Amino acid sequence: MADLYKEIGNDSDYGSINDNSSAQTEDPQASATSSPSPSPMTRHQYIVFCGIALAYFADLTSFSLIAPFYPIEAKEKDLSPVMIGFVFSVFSLVQFLSSPIFGKLLPYVGAKFMFLAGSWVAAGSNLIFGVLDELEPGTQFLVFCLVTRCVGALGASASVTAATAIIAHTFPDRTGQMMGLLELFCGVGLMVGPALGGLLYSVGGYKLPFMVLGAADTLVVIINIFLIRSSEGMESKTKGSMLAVAKIPAVWVIALTCGVASTGMGFLDPTMSPHLKEQYNLSPVFISLVYILSGSAYAIATPLWGYLSDKKRITRTLIVFGLTGGGVCFLFLGPTPLFPQVPTDQVWTVIVTVGLGSLLLGCAIVPTFIDLLNTAKWYGLPDDISTQGIVSGVFNSFFSLGAFVGPTVGGVLQQHYGFPWASTMVGFMFIIMAILIVLFGFWEYQCGKGRRRPPDNDLAHQVSVNYFGSEIDDTEENRGLLS
């Protein structure tokens, strides 16, 4: 049983189909736990990563800067708390709906153009948002805020979808590591944004934060015009098939996993602050430090999860570990009423569980992208920008879905059941999802494509079961290769 689960959790089975994978002819046991050492990074790869990381940092800083002051301004414009919350959450909702579309369009317009155009639209929306305080209170202010926020979300969706596809294309042997490092820049941007936004607001009022960050975003776009070049393979006339990706059972399971883990991150945004204030009577400064701890723990550990995803090829194992550990942390975060022996007046338990829980949720989120890519390749989809665009769209869509559902459902659960029971439900959601992944892995091994070590790229199309209906070479030799 242990050997079977090792096979199920070993992503070398999915990840080793590529043109340059000479290690596939080696002993399967020797390559079961690690991938071949990638070649040194080129100057072009360093430049591409720096450009995308800079854009990620600028975009996420601009996205999060409104948190400390927009609710105050919106309240003065006669917006209710529900309306203010929707202005925040509609950004993720639009990204959820638009990311797959941009993934489909990416091969036609080109990854570089979509990345730069999306960043440009997001920067322009940020600048426009800075003059909305001149509008009349009530409906006019609300409508223009929603429209501007939606346009900015469309730009960010296009930019992020193209960026993840560029990373997958430019770093075929280091996709997980690079995605982990990008999550580090995202975490730093989300931490810097509110602090910088509050500082600029206190100095120059409503307009200054948007003008400064919007101008910085625009400058980053101009810089990336020269840093990111269109390379061979980045544009393709091949039509990526959303239907082909959707037919793969593992895609739905892993994408749902990404959404569930993202839900947990978003759940803390509207719920933890009132809980810390009411339960422990913490000051706003201390509460801010707890949020910074959460973001820091998530961001700092993501490069490690990306490295393990690439080097050890254990994406499913990492996901199950992250979900299970994160679920346990959320049970103690409340703490859950199911464990009455856990003290409810010790603030250190919150600090430990928030930090550790955020760290483990990163372990569940980061490997999902590389798992989706490897799964698509294993099921016979081409390893080119068309597939990478579709997969990027799916990943960003479900991540955004979780970012929308988390704060929305979290607020409802807290209002009706209180924070201890709400965090308990989220914790059990993680644990149940981890169990489903394990059960799916057993089913996949026995009934689906399996998690067996694939042959080399030439034999892959001859001997692997084609999920979309191609014939199977069932010779005795090839049966041995698939066993």
Side-chain angles (χ1 to χ4, degrees), residues 359-390:
L359 183 147
L360 290 169
L361 285 182
C363 180
I365 292 174
V366 172
T368 56
F369 181 69
I370 187 69
D371 193 284
L372 288 170
L373 279 175
N374 290 336
T375 298
K377 289 187 289 185
W378 173 260
Y379 277 84
L381 298 183
D383 186 13
D384 59 15
I385 197 67
S386 63
T387 299
Q388 291 155 0
I390 295 291

Side-chain angles (χ1 to χ4, degrees), residues 47-63 112 114-120 122-123 126 155-156 158-164 166-167 181-190 213 216-225 227-228:
I47 291 175
V48 168
F49 177 78
C50 289
I52 292 179
L54 186 62
Y56 261 61
F57 175 76
D59 289 345
L60 270 296
T61 301
S62 299
F63 165 77
K112 177 181 178 178
M114 182 175 288
F115 171 64
L116 295 175
S119 297
W120 187 268
N126 209 18
S159 176
V160 172
T161 299
T164 49
I166 291 172
I167 288 294
L181 288 172
L182 285 180
E183 287 296 315
L184 172 60
F185 282 89
C186 289
V188 174
L190 290 173
L213 272 299
D217 262 350
T218 304
L219 178 61
V220 169
V221 174
I222 296 174
I223 293 174
N224 275 330
I225 292 176
L227 290 184
I228 310 291

Side-chain angles (χ1 to χ4, degrees), residues 343-359:
T344 59
D345 58 349
Q346 302 294 321
V347 70
W348 67 266
T349 60
V350 175
I351 296 174
V352 172
T353 52
V354 165
L356 187 59
S358 299
L359 183 147

Side-chain angles (χ1 to χ4, degrees), residues 43-263:
R43 180 174 176 270
H44 170 63
Q45 287 177 318
Y46 278 112
I47 291 175
V48 168
F49 177 78
C50 289
I52 292 179
L54 186 62
Y56 261 61
F57 175 76
D59 289 345
L60 270 296
T61 301
S62 299
F63 165 77
S64 60
L65 70 90
I66 70 173
F69 64 87
Y70 178 78
I72 300 173
E73 292 283 339
K75 188 176 181 179
E76 295 179 357
K77 291 288 188 178
D78 299 334
L79 266 61
S80 68
V82 174
M83 295 175 181
I84 295 173
F86 190 65
V87 170
F88 276 85
S89 60
V90 73
F91 192 94
S92 297
L93 179 62
V94 171
Q95 284 192 308
F96 162 68
L97 296 174
S98 61
S99 290
I101 299 174
F102 286 122
K104 176 70 175 179
L105 294 176
L106 188 143
Y108 297 96
V109 302
K112 177 181 178 178
F113 176 82
M114 182 175 288
F115 171 64
L116 295 175
S119 297
W120 187 268
V121 170
S125 299
N126 209 18
L127 291 169
I128 294 173
F129 212 92
V131 299
L132 297 185
D133 63 327
E134 302 291 341
L135 299 175
E136 294 295 324
T139 302
Q140 187 183 73
F141 180 75
L142 173 63
V143 169
F144 276 88
C145 282
L146 289 175
V147 170
T148 307
R149 192 80 166 157
C150 289
V151 172
L154 288 172
S157 176
S159 176
V160 172
T161 299
T164 49
I166 291 172
I167 288 294
H169 181 83
T170 309
F171 303 91
D173 299 324
R174 290 186 172 91
T175 304
Q177 296 177 55
M178 296 301 107
M179 288 299 297
L181 288 172
L182 285 180
E183 287 296 315
L184 172 60
F185 282 89
C186 289
V188 174
L190 290 173
M191 288 186 292
V192 171
L196 186 58
L199 176 63
L200 293 174
Y201 176 76
S202 64
V203 172
Y206 180 84
K207 291 183 173 61
L208 186 60
F210 296 105
M211 297 299 109
V212 172
L213 272 299
D217 262 350
T218 304
L219 178 61
V220 169
V221 174
I222 296 174
I223 293 174
N224 275 330
I225 292 176
F226 302 98
L227 290 184
I228 310 291
R229 70 169 188 261
S230 299
S231 58
E232 183 179 355
M234 291 286 286
E235 285 75 29
S236 172
K237 297 303 180 182
T238 304
K239 296 180 179 180
S241 175
M242 180 66 72
L243 179 61
V245 173
K247 285 182 177 180
I248 304 174
V251 166
W252 289 98
V253 175
I254 300 304
L256 181 61
T257 299
C258 179
V260 166
S262 177
T263 298

